[in-house]
């Protein structure tokens, strides 16, 4: 994945990760945490020197042309970058282990947001900034890779609408302009101004709403990247209140469809946004799930004779609405009114609903994880067509070539992916069980890792599951599941397929 006479792309990514270490170093210097500043400055400087030596040694090697090289760099980024990013974390938090530092950075870079440090005061403020920054960079990496690498190979959800076999680059793209490095550069230049600008805009709005600088910046980066990383224990401890939640709620729609991100390619601009399949499915869940939860809590409130409390009812509805969108986009932020809805009725919220939302996931070519809304929509349209054929066996499905392809080939590939995803859940659950966890915890942690929704472990079960309680083997298994969930099983199978080695 590089042009002739250029350094490998993985080296460029490593250099970018090392250079970003100067951001928390500067923050630590400003807040007079000199030990932390030195840790990030020394680690960044040392890694940049080492990476420069590697770049000089590999700069003139001929570029690989095999199709699997496109995906190899993506997998290599998740294997190489987290240990490198863990170096300043390990130096800034000396009483932790390298395994913990690696897990924290891998969780951040895959936008999972699972943390081993439940107490906010356990980490310095600059380290919290580093976690959020790594998650933010990981989100940008996912956006650019999805459009520049996965989409041309009909992967990452694009196989549902492309009509081509997953993992095969089309002949029309085998030209100089189709070089993946050039595509990544072009896509990065198109996306970064919008991605950074929207982050700064949300941060500024959160500051105006009363949020502190560090918390607002971390929440802004956690929202745009859907990592859900926060320097405070819960959003209830923030200073922005309802206004801050409303702002985050609006920006979470960027993870519902790729249409809302300026500079995103491969979008059918002729279809109105209100007819976009992903938007339609998202609104279905946003309308259905909060209403069901509200009615459930309202029925529970009848027994407590609190049904006339309009304020509590409104808070319960908002808590369900915000948390539904948050987990549908695999972000994992919890509304302060999510707890209020349960105290209003005295009933707990079924964690299975949050697990289901995380499995569905957000939009294709966004920072969200999960199965993705477009695949769910393809399965829905296929089921709808099959029911029509039961009633009218001789009927002909209309709505054009694209709709027919979505109901046939698209639904077929979506079903394959769904089965692979379910199989991955079974494998990870079994592996975590062998590592010493009970079945319920293994399943919840496996789904949380595969859907890149780390906060799911705290809210999906009656007794919160702490990632810090995992042993070294369980952490490695969960980390591998995060990479599989971020890369997706179809992309990994395409990489391992022998046919791709000969291309």
């Amino acid at each position: 994945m590089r042009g002739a006479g250029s350094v490998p792309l993985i080296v460029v990514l490593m250099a970018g990760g090392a250079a970003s270490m100067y951001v928390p170093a500067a923050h630590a210097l400003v807040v007079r945490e000199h030990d932390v500043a030195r840790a990030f400055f020394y680690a960044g400087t040392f890694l940049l020197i080492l990476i420069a030596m590697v770049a000089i040694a590999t700069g003139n090697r001929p570029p690989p042309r095999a199709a699997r090289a496109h995906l190899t760099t993506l997998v290599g980024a998740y294997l190489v970058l987290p240990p490198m990013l863990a170096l300043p974390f390990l130096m800034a938090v000396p009483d932790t282990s390298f395994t913990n530092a690696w897990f924290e950075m891998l969780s951040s870079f895959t936008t999972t947001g699972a943390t081993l440090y439940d107490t906010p005061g356990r980490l310095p403020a600059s380290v919290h900034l580093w976690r959020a920054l790594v998650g933010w960079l990981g989100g940008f990496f996912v956006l650019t890779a999805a459009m520049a690498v996965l989409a041309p190979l009909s992967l990452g959800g694009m196989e549902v609408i492309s009509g081509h076999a997953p993992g095969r680059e089309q002949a029309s793209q085998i030209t100089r302009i189709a070089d993946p490095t050039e595509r990544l550069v072009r896509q990065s230049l198109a996306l970064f101004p919008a991605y950074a600008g929207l982050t700064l805009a949300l941060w500024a709005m959160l500051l105006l709403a009363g949020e502190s600088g560090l918390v607002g910046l971390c929440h802004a980066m956690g929202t745009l990247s859907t990592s859900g990383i926060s320097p405070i224990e819960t959003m209830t401890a923030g200073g922005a209140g309802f206004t801050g939640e409303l702002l985050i709620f609006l920006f979470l729609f960027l993870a519902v469809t790729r249409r809302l991100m300026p500079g995103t390619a491969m979008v059918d601009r002729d279809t109105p946004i209100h007819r976009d399949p992903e938007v339609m499915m998202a609104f279905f869940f946003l309308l259905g799930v909060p209403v069901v939860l509200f009615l459930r809590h309202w029925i529970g409130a009848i027994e407590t004779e609190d049904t006339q409390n309009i304020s509590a009812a409104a808070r319960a509805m908002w808590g369900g609405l915000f948390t539904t969108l948050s987990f549908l986009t695999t972000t994992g932020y919890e509304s302060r009114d999510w707890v209020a809805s349960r105290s209003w009725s005295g009933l707990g919220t079924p964690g299975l609903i949050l697990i289901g939302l995380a499995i569905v996931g957000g939009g294709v070519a966004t920072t969200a994880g999960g199965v993705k809304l477009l695949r769910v929509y393809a399965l829905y349209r296929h089921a709808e067509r099959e029911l029509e054929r039961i009633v009218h066996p001789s009927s002909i499905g209309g709505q054009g070539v694209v709709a027919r392809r979505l109901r046939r080939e698209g639904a077929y590939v979506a079903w394959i992916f769904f089965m692979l995803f379910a199989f991955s859940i079974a494998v990870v659950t079994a592996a975590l069980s062998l590592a010493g966890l009970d079945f319920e915890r293994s399943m919840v942690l496996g789904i949380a890792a595969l859907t890149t929704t780390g906060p799911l472990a705290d809210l999906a079960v009656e007794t919160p599951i702490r990632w810090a309680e995992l042993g070294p083997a369980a952490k490695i298994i969960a980390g591998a599941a995060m990479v599989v969930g971020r890369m997706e099983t179809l992309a990994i199978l395409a990489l391992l397929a022998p046919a791709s080695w000969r291309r």
Side-chain angles (χ1 to χ4, degrees):
M1 289 187 63
R2 56 186 177 179
S6 61
V7 297
L9 180 61
I10 187 66
V11 177
V12 177
L13 296 175
M14 292 170 61
S20 63
M21 296 178 186
Y22 292 117
V23 175
H27 177 269
L29 186 64
V30 171
V31 298
R32 299 184 181 279
E33 294 179 346
H34 298 100
D35 292 340
V36 177
R38 281 193 294 268
F40 281 98
F41 179 79
Y42 291 162
T45 303
F46 169 75
L47 289 173
L48 282 178
I49 295 174
L50 181 63
I51 293 168
M53 296 171 62
V54 174
I56 294 173
T58 60
N60 291 324
R61 295 182 60 186
R65 299 302 301 175
R68 70 188 182 100
H70 307 174
L71 300 176
T72 302
T73 298
L74 301 187
V75 176
Y78 289 110
L79 296 178
V80 175
L81 289 179
M84 185 190 77
L85 300 174
L87 179 59
F89 189 100
L90 185 65
M91 296 171 62
V93 188
D95 56 342
T96 191
S97 65
F98 179 78
T99 302
N100 289 349
W102 165 82
F103 180 90
E104 200 75 17
M105 291 296 97
L106 179 63
S107 173
S108 299
F109 191 62
T110 56
T111 71
T112 304
T115 180
L116 304 175
Y117 305 91
D118 300 319
T119 305
R122 174 75 171 78
L123 299 176
S126 300
V127 176
H128 282 299
L129 176 62
W130 178 235
R131 292 176 55 238
L133 180 60
V134 171
W136 186 77
L137 293 174
F140 180 71
F141 177 70
V142 168
L143 282 177
T144 54
M147 300 311 303
V149 178
L150 297 181
L153 294 174
S154 295
L155 293 170
M158 290 296 181
E159 72 279 357
V160 176
I161 55 178
S162 68
H164 303 300
R168 293 186 180 180
E169 194 170 22
Q170 302 309 305
S172 60
Q173 292 179 335
I174 305 179
T175 59
R176 183 179 181 278
I177 196 64
D179 182 81
T181 301
E182 296 181 15
R183 286 200 301 259
L184 276 171
V185 172
R186 188 169 59 251
Q187 199 66 41
S188 298
L189 293 176
L191 281 174
F192 187 77
Y195 188 72
L198 289 170
T199 304
L200 293 175
L202 178 57
W203 181 32
M205 294 179 188
L206 290 174
L207 291 178
L208 293 175
E211 195 63 86
S212 62
L214 177 64
V215 174
L217 180 58
C218 291
H219 284 175
M221 291 191 289
T223 300
L224 267 293
S225 64
T226 67
S227 65
I229 294 176
S230 175
I232 53 180
E233 189 171 0
T234 60
M235 292 193 67
T236 57
F242 171 76
T243 304
E245 288 188 6
L246 180 60
L247 292 171
I248 291 176
F249 178 82
L250 295 176
F251 276 79
L252 283 176
F253 278 98
L254 292 167
V256 168
T257 173
R258 60 197 181 280
R259 284 171 163 268
L260 300 179
M261 179 63 70
T264 303
M266 296 189 181
V267 175
D268 184 9
R269 301 293 183 185
D270 296 332
T271 304
I273 190 169
H274 65 274
R275 295 182 57 189
D276 186 287
E278 294 175 326
V279 176
M280 293 168 58
M281 289 298 299
F283 273 101
F284 169 78
F285 288 106
L286 278 177
L287 293 176
V289 174
V291 169
V292 170
L293 290 176
F294 176 80
L295 291 177
R296 180 177 183 272
H297 289 299
W298 182 77
I299 293 173
I302 293 178
E303 300 179 0
T304 62
E305 299 180 353
D306 197 24
T307 56
Q308 301 300 320
N309 192 336
I310 304 300
S311 175
R315 293 176 59 192
M317 188 64 184
W318 168 251
L321 188 65
F322 178 91
T323 307
T324 295
L325 182 59
S326 178
F327 278 85
L328 183 64
T329 58
T330 66
T331 304
Y333 283 138
E334 176 191 9
S335 171
R336 65 180 64 199
D337 293 324
W338 181 253
V339 179
S341 64
R342 289 178 287 178
S343 61
W344 174 50
S345 64
L347 298 175
T349 299
L352 188 62
I353 292 179
L354 299 181
I355 292 176
L357 290 171
I359 290 176
V360 170
V364 167
T366 66
T367 56
V371 174
K372 301 298 176 57
L373 289 165
L374 189 59
R375 294 190 178 106
V376 176
Y377 179 78
L379 294 175
Y380 160 72
R381 292 307 303 268
H382 177 74
E384 181 185 47
R385 176 58 187 153
E386 290 300 311
L387 290 176
E388 289 179 356
R389 294 179 63 184
I390 292 176
V391 180
H392 303 286
S394 300
S395 63
I396 299 175
Q399 299 181 342
V401 178
V402 177
R404 288 196 295 270
R405 186 168 60 210
L406 182 70
R407 293 193 299 261
R408 295 174 183 173
E409 294 87 351
Y412 176 75
V413 178
W415 179 252
I416 291 176
F417 179 85
F418 187 82
M419 290 296 99
L420 290 173
F421 192 85
F423 180 73
S424 301
I425 293 176
V427 170
V428 175
T429 300
L432 289 174
S433 298
L434 293 175
L437 279 71
D438 59 75
F439 175 77
E440 182 182 25
R441 297 173 65 199
S442 299
M443 185 187 69
V444 172
L445 291 177
I447 294 175
L450 288 169
T451 60
T452 65
T453 316
L456 193 66
D458 293 330
L459 302 176
V461 289
E462 184 176 354
T463 302
I465 303 173
R466 304 300 180 189
W467 292 94
E469 298 174 357
L470 301 182
K475 292 174 184 175
I476 294 175
I477 295 171
M482 294 176 193
V483 176
V484 172
R486 188 74 275 179
M487 281 290 301
E488 296 190 350
T489 48
L490 279 179
I492 294 177
L493 288 178
L495 176 62
L496 298 177
S500 67
W501 302 349
R502 298 189 294 268
R503 294 178 65 86

